Amino acid sequence: MMSAVNTASLIAADKAHLWHPFTQMKAWAAPDHEPLVLVEGEGALLRDSEGREYLDGNSSIWTNIHGHNHAKINAAIKAQLDRVAHVSFLGSSNAPAIALAQKLVEAVPPLSRVFYSDDGSTAIEVALKMSLQYWQLTGQPGRTKFLAFDKAYHGDTAGAASLGGVGTFTSRFAAVHFPVQHVADVAALANIEAGDLAAIIIEPLVQGAAGIRLWPAGMLKALRAWCDTHDVLLIFDEVLTGFGRTGKMFAGQHEEVFPDFLCLAKGLTGGYLPLAATLTAERVYEAFLGEYHELKTFFYGHSYCGNPLGCAAALASLQIFEEEKTLERLQPKIALLRELLTALKANPHIGEIRQCGFIAGIDLQRTPGEPYPWQDQTGARVCLAARKHGLLTRPILDTIVLMPPLCTSADQLRAAVSALHLAVTDCCG
């Protein structure tokens, strides 16, 4: 454990040199702000440089699946590290990447090909560029537009950000976006001209950055039917929902609907290392086959595609799902979370609560039906107060996200919801 002196030194260096994501650095670097320096983790718990423990209530920004410091994932990474840490995926392959691809396509039978990248945004970029090139190669180059949903969030690289429906993240760069049209729901597709569409993208079951907004049952089936009727490619962004978060391995399995592209990241490695995968169907892959001079090749990639350490971690994570019966053991905890959240509604400053599996969004309200002014940063203040009660999480404006690792125990769940109640009471009265 680091000493208080070291903590102060680290914080000073952080404020002097770092630029944090989604952070107003003037407030961060203010003399009275004390950033959290996290140094250790075990299971669902994290420990800071002062020795204080917290439940990881947002799975380290929605990534951690089986808990921190899991012996099996640690061992898999160490074993691979003793062999080789990284090799090029351009012109060579490696055993962990091959084995992981086999496991992924077994989990989603209609999809047969895996393209690796680095993170959620790049997984989306791959799907977008593949879909555009697919239509060019199949004689329909006029299909250049994408369809996304209001309040969507698909990442921050240029193409992925184009799809976003939250102006805070996208409006400054709209002049350089891909051509995208946004709709509110499936019913709005009745008014859409499909002839120029390359693909439709959706966060299945739940929109994350929109504030944990849930889609109605049957939407995925209706969307798949519309795409089939109009011959439009369907992209599922399961960067958030994949790997058990919704109670099944993938969100699309709740309605037995499969896309043409499945984008995975975050929990793919159990939350250990940056790795993403874009799965697609054989018909898409086959359109890119040809002689070199035909220039059908998909000229896209990243230096760390198929990184052996990341793939080894991902393989270990998938093995844990099987060996520890993770999804089976998760079901009673999903039910307990629902029960605890229902009780939390008694707090007058808690508005709507939305739950999808082990994902929850908890709205704050000044009075019933009346939100706090967004400028007050009430959600951020509540999350800061929750630290004093042993819970670490982040808000989306005034929606508190509770999305702990799947290994979280029943007692830890109770403590997390209790901490939220206390933090809301501390901040809101």
Side-chain angles (χ1 to χ4, degrees):
M1 183 179 70
M2 294 185 180
S3 68
V5 173
N6 282 338
T7 300
S9 176
L10 286 168
I11 289 174
D14 179 294
K15 291 183 177 182
H17 304 297
L18 288 179
W19 192 340
H20 288 264
F22 296 95
T23 300
Q24 176 44 254
M25 293 304 294
K26 181 179 181 181
W28 178 275
D32 60 346
H33 177 61
E34 297 184 13
L36 210 57
V37 180
L38 297 171
V39 296
E40 294 174 338
E42 186 73 30
L45 297 178
L46 289 168
R47 187 175 296 113
D48 71 11
S49 55
E50 295 296 297
R52 295 168 295 212
E53 287 190 341
Y54 311 88
L55 177 71
D56 189 357
N58 74 348
S59 296
S60 295
I61 206 59
W62 312 353
T63 60
N64 193 278
I65 298 292
H66 305 291
H68 300 276
N69 226 346
H70 194 290
K72 191 171 189 69
I73 302 179
N74 288 2
I77 293 172
K78 290 174 182 176
Q80 181 59 43
L81 190 60
D82 286 339
R83 298 185 184 99
V84 64
H86 182 62
V87 293
S88 173
F89 216 56
L90 286 71
S92 66
S93 194
N94 65 78
I98 295 167
L100 177 58
Q102 288 177 310
K103 295 292 288 185
L104 290 174
V105 298
E106 286 172 6
V108 193
L111 305 182
S112 58
R113 296 287 169 173
V114 178
F115 192 99
Y116 290 118
S117 59
D118 300 345
D119 55 32
S121 293
T122 56
I124 299 297
E125 293 282 335
V126 169
L128 300 183
K129 291 184 176 180
M130 276 188 181
S131 59
L132 286 174
Q133 188 170 339
Y134 170 81
W135 291 117
Q136 294 169 10
L137 297 175
T138 56
Q140 300 186 63
R143 287 180 173 259
T144 59
K145 185 186 291 184
F146 295 95
L147 198 71
F149 288 88
D150 291 344
K151 301 189 183 302
Y153 176 83
H154 297 289
D156 297 310
T157 52
S162 302
L163 306 167
V166 181
T168 303
F169 304 138
T170 63
S171 59
R172 293 182 184 275
F173 312 104
V176 295
H177 282 171
F178 287 9
V180 178
Q181 183 174 352
H182 288 89
V183 294
D185 51 32
V186 170
L189 296 179
N191 301 316
I192 296 297
E193 171 54 54
D196 60 353
L197 286 181
I200 295 178
I201 187 167
I202 189 171
E203 301 158 84
L205 295 192
V206 55
Q207 288 185 309
I212 313 301
R213 301 288 167 179
L214 308 186
W215 290 119
M219 179 179 182
L220 299 182
K221 282 191 174 182
L223 186 57
R224 177 75 268 181
W226 191 92
C227 288
D228 290 343
T229 298
H230 297 276
D231 196 20
V232 175
L233 297 171
L234 178 58
I235 304 169
F236 278 4
D237 176 352
E238 293 229 30
V239 172
L240 161 66
T241 56
F243 303 101
R245 295 290 185 194
T246 66
K248 291 184 180 290
M249 186 62 80
F250 300 114
Q253 292 172 334
H254 286 269
E255 296 186 16
E256 297 183 353
V257 173
F258 297 96
D260 300 293
F261 294 94
L262 177 64
C263 300
L264 304 171
K266 288 193 182 293
L268 175 57
T269 65
Y272 267 63
L273 291 167
L275 182 69
T278 304
L279 280 63
T280 192
E282 197 70 10
R283 72 153 172 153
V284 174
Y285 169 79
E286 288 177 349
F288 289 73
L289 300 180
E291 301 301 324
Y292 179 77
H293 69 268
E294 296 179 275
L295 295 178
K296 291 185 174 183
T297 303
F298 185 54
F299 290 106
Y300 184 94
H302 294 270
S303 300
Y304 285 87
C305 286
N307 170 253
L309 289 178
C311 292
L315 280 166
S317 176
L318 292 176
Q319 289 169 2
I320 292 168
F321 271 102
E322 296 176 7
E323 295 173 2
E324 298 187 2
K325 301 186 185 305
T326 301
L327 294 178
E328 181 180 327
R329 296 171 61 187
L330 183 62
Q331 303 313 310
K333 290 189 280 191
I334 291 173
L336 174 60
L337 178 58
R338 185 174 295 109
E339 176 186 325
L340 295 170
L341 293 175
T342 299
L344 186 63
K345 290 181 181 178
N347 188 311
H349 299 287
I350 299 292
E352 185 179 40
I353 298 178
R354 296 170 296 281
Q355 181 188 359
C356 178
F358 220 46
I359 304 168
I362 302 156
D363 291 345
L364 301 174
Q365 61 181 14
R366 177 183 289 183
T367 59
E370 180 192 6
Y372 287 95
W374 66 268
Q375 297 91 338
D376 291 354
Q377 300 183 75
T378 305
R381 292 190 295 107
V382 167
C383 289
L384 185 61
R387 291 185 191 177
K388 299 175 184 177
H389 302 289
L391 176 67
L392 190 63
T393 190
R394 282 179 60 87
I396 300 168
L397 294 178
D398 286 344
T399 297
I400 309 299
V401 178
L402 185 60
M403 192 187 308
L406 306 188
C407 68
T408 304
S409 70
D411 285 344
Q412 287 173 330
L413 267 185
R414 293 186 183 95
V417 176
S418 174
L420 276 180
H421 170 70
L422 293 171
V424 171
T425 301
D426 290 347
C427 291
C428 304

